[in-house]
């Protein structure tokens, strides 16, 4: 594996999950593997879990870590070939990626969608720019269209908590006061299609994800119908894909409540965090034993640690 930018970089999900669970049991077993190696983390957007879990993962492997917030600490980067740089952008990705590569052994990047231009976001200019011009492996810490570290952590969590061989998993849209990207939903949907689960997606009409992501996964527009006998309820807001980046609904009837969770098979509630209480999910669900969001967040460390281990081995 040269990079980890999408879940397609995983050769065997089942094997990876078991390796991650083994790392979770003995996180310092490979603490000498990363000695003398450095991870450089570049943030074009805010982070809490991704930054801290990935940094801890690197430290568990004995790596040095450098962190830079590009928006406030670095030059604005130009990504277009042939650009006449006579405006606000001071450095081109060609030089930036090449220079950073000299200082580290792995570059991890977080750069969200702008949710303005669908085709622009689909090009993944930041992630692909570093992938093209860097000379060291690249890790995707969430890009415009994908969040493969989160999806790997989600899969670890489901594997640990499943009570049946083929659990029913529901990805449910939830209301949110502002437009959010599709990255988490995209990667989760794609990952679950590679797992032995019964996946369905529920959302209001107008919130259909990219057809190339959904494929043949059943779409159910009635949330309560979708939740019937679910073993896992993964809740996430995303903006419209067809009417790109727009908020078409803030209908709180889609908020996950304790009453709705009673429709499930004593199902577990999942969310990538941060989550808006009593908007996306009610307090009584989030604070209940059905919620596994904290363990889900903890598994972010072992997902990242496994990826880094594979890249530096």
């Amino acid at each position: 594996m040269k990079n980890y930018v999408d879940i397609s970089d995983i050769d065997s999900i089942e094997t990876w999950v078991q390796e991650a669970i083994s790392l979770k049991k003995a996180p310092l077993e490979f603490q000498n593997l990363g000695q003398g190696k450095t991870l450089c983390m570049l943030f074009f957007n805010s982070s809490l879990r991704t930054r801290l879990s990935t940094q801890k993962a690197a430290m568990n492997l004995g790596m040095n870590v450098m962190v830079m917030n590009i928006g406030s600490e670095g030059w604005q980067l130009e990504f277009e070939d042939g650009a006449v740089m006579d405006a606000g952008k001071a450095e081109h990705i060609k030089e930036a990626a090449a220079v950073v590569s000299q200082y580290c052994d792995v570059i991890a990047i977080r750069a969200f969608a702008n949710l303005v231009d669908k085709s622009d976001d689909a090009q993944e200019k930041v992630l692909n720019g570093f992938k093209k011009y860097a000379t060291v492996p690249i890790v995707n810490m969430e890009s415009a269209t994908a969040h493969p570290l989160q999806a790997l952590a989600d899969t670890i969590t489901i594997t640990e908590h499943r009570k049946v061989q083929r659990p029913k998993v529901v990805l449910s849209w939830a209301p949110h006061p502002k437009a959010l990207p599709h990255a988490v939903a995209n990667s989760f949907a794609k990952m679950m299609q590679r797992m032995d689960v019964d996946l369905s997606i529920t959302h209001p009409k107008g919130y259909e994800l990219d057809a190339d992501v959904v494929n043949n996964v059943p779409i159910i527009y009635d949330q309560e119908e979708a939740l019937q006998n679910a073993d896992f309820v993964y809740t996430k807001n995303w903006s419209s894909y067809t009417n790109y980046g727009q908020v078409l609904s803030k209908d709180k009837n889609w908020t996950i409540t304790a009453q709705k969770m009673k429709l499930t098979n004593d199902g577990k509630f999942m969310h990538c965090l941060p989550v808006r209480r009593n908007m996306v999910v009610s307090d009584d669900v989030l604070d209940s034993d059905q919620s596994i969001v904290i363990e889900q967040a903890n598994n972010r460390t072992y997902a990242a640690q496994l990826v880094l281990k594979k890249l530096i081995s």
Side-chain angles (χ1 to χ4, degrees):
M1 184 177 71
K2 295 181 179 179
N3 303 289
Y4 187 68
V5 297
D6 190 77
I7 66 165
S8 59
D9 292 315
I10 301 175
D11 52 7
S12 170
I13 291 176
E14 290 78 7
T15 300
W16 278 45
V17 168
Q18 292 307 317
E19 288 181 24
I21 291 173
S22 295
L23 282 175
K24 186 176 182 179
K25 293 176 181 177
L28 300 181
E29 181 179 354
F30 299 95
Q31 61 183 327
N32 295 323
L33 183 64
Q35 285 190 357
K37 297 184 183 297
T38 300
L39 169 67
C40 180
M41 302 168 65
L42 302 178
F43 290 90
F44 291 77
N45 297 97
S46 302
S47 178
L48 189 151
R49 275 150 297 278
T50 298
R51 174 170 175 169
L52 297 181
S53 63
T54 307
Q55 187 166 352
K56 181 178 180 181
M59 293 166 64
N60 283 350
L61 295 172
M63 299 181 74
N64 299 309
V65 182
M66 299 188 296
V67 180
M68 189 170 191
N69 297 301
I70 297 295
S72 59
E73 299 173 338
W75 303 111
Q76 282 194 310
L77 298 182
E78 175 62 64
F79 293 90
E80 297 293 340
D81 287 338
V84 178
M85 295 173 58
D86 59 355
K89 296 179 179 179
E91 185 160 16
H92 201 281
I93 183 62
K94 290 183 179 182
E95 289 77 50
V99 168
V100 174
S101 297
Q102 296 178 111
Y103 304 149
C104 62
D105 301 277
V106 180
I107 301 174
I109 300 162
R110 185 173 176 90
F112 293 170
N114 59 39
L115 292 179
V116 174
D117 185 324
K118 183 189 295 187
S119 61
D120 188 65
D121 284 341
Q123 291 179 53
E124 294 280 17
K125 291 182 179 179
V126 178
L127 186 69
N128 285 332
F130 276 93
K131 184 180 175 182
K132 182 177 181 179
Y133 295 112
T135 56
V136 297
I138 301 297
V139 174
N140 181 355
M141 296 192 297
E142 187 173 354
S143 65
T145 65
H147 199 346
L149 285 179
Q150 180 67 56
L152 181 54
D154 298 337
T155 307
I156 295 166
T157 308
I158 288 174
T159 300
E160 290 178 317
H161 284 272
R162 67 183 177 190
K163 297 177 182 178
V164 295
Q165 181 60 37
R166 192 169 190 267
K168 180 179 179 180
V169 179
V170 178
L171 171 60
S172 176
W173 178 92
H176 198 279
K178 64 178 185 178
L180 293 185
H182 307 91
V184 170
N186 285 347
S187 289
F188 183 77
K190 290 167 68 176
M191 184 72 93
M192 289 301 102
Q193 289 175 71
R194 292 182 60 181
M195 295 290 290
D196 185 19
V197 303
D198 176 12
L199 174 67
S200 60
I201 303 175
T202 184
H203 55 70
K205 291 184 178 180
Y207 278 98
E208 292 77 10
L209 294 166
D210 183 351
D212 289 337
V213 170
V214 175
N215 294 312
N216 296 317
V217 175
I219 307 300
I220 303 172
Y221 294 109
D222 184 323
Q223 187 189 47
E224 293 193 1
E225 177 186 342
L227 294 178
Q228 292 285 342
N229 297 314
D231 297 294
F232 295 93
V233 178
Y234 196 111
T235 307
K236 182 72 178 77
N237 174 269
W238 59 86
S239 54
S240 175
Y241 183 76
T242 304
N243 299 296
Y244 193 66
Q246 294 185 24
V247 175
L248 305 180
S249 173
K250 297 180 183 179
D251 185 359
K252 289 189 179 180
N253 288 320
W254 282 79
T255 300
I256 296 294
T257 63
Q259 194 64 30
K260 290 180 182 178
M261 291 299 293
K262 289 180 181 179
L263 300 171
T264 70
N265 183 28
D266 193 26
K268 297 299 186 181
F269 174 82
M270 300 178 68
H271 191 283
C272 61
L273 302 182
V275 64
R276 292 185 180 242
R277 285 174 173 261
N278 304 308
M279 183 78 182
V280 171
V281 57
S282 62
D283 283 337
D284 51 3
V285 172
L286 200 55
D287 296 331
S288 74
D289 291 338
Q290 286 182 280
S291 174
I292 53 174
V293 299
I294 302 303
E295 186 170 352
Q296 188 181 351
N298 186 44
N299 282 335
R300 290 294 308 278
T301 295
Y302 309 106
Q305 189 170 341
L306 177 63
V307 168
L308 292 173
K309 176 178 176 290
K310 288 181 176 293
L311 288 174
I312 66 174
S313 291

